[in-house]
Amino acid sequence: MKFLAACFLAILSMTVPVLADGAPPPRLPMAEGDKTPVTVPETKSFGRQEEFVLPSGNIGCIYTPEGGTEVYQPADGGPELSCDRVEPRYVRATLSRKGDATLLNEVGDQSCCSASPVLDYGQTWAAGPFSCLSTRTGLSCERNDGHSFFLSRKRLAAN
């Protein structure tokens, strides 16, 4: 008997949809002619960050799409490309939606670099308004309006 009751409750729970945040779905009007407005909560869809690292493991990048992610939203709403160089000194280069690329020498959240995916030398990566070229001499990244940065062990540049 307990088994049947448990099965009944399991089947019943599967018929009541639940939103991702655990809240039940909004109620629809119960009777025809009911003038109560139906409110549907607004949901924001977030993008996914993309990462890549150069074969040397010294430079790694994170792309955040427009609107950000569930845990990170760029100050201007995005999109944003941020690349970190580890050696000889930790530096972060960033391209935002508009304006010049920036170089940040004091990085409080040093987190470079993931192990994959690797952007092999000679390959190009592109997303949103950004594109990057990986070469043996460094990484050059550009926004579609010409603002760019270059990172290597020997040289840093941003405009």
Side-chain angles (χ1 to χ4, degrees), residues 18 35 38 51 59 82 87 90-91 104 112 116 136 140 158:
V18 176
K35 302 294 183 192
V38 177
E51 296 183 43
I59 298 173
S82 179
E87 296 290 335
Y90 204 100
V91 174
L104 181 62
C112 191
S116 65
R136 291 190 183 279
S140 56

Side-chain angles (χ1 to χ4, degrees), residues 63-97:
Y63 165 73
T64 305
E66 185 169 349
T69 69
E70 289 186 49
V71 295
Y72 175 71
Q73 289 78 36
D76 66 358
E80 177 183 87
L81 177 64
S82 179
C83 297
D84 291 2
R85 181 197 71 180
V86 179
E87 296 290 335
R89 184 174 41 96
Y90 204 100
V91 174
R92 179 169 293 153
T94 304
L95 272 170
S96 297
R97 175 191 308 266

Side-chain angles (χ1 to χ4, degrees), residues 38-62:
V38 177
T39 0
V40 177
E42 186 177 318
T43 58
K44 178 170 173 66
S45 67
F46 294 101
R48 293 178 52 104
Q49 287 180 315
E50 291 182 34
E51 296 183 43
F52 63 88
V53 63
L54 269 56
S56 68
N58 192 44
I59 298 173
C61 299
I62 298 176

Side-chain angles (χ1 to χ4, degrees), residues 137-155:
T137 58
L139 177 71
S140 56
C141 294
E142 181 177 70
R143 192 175 53 227
N144 57 11
D145 65 359
H147 288 278
S148 64
F149 61 78
F150 178 83
L151 298 176
S152 74
R153 288 185 190 270
K154 295 181 179 180
R155 185 169 71 94

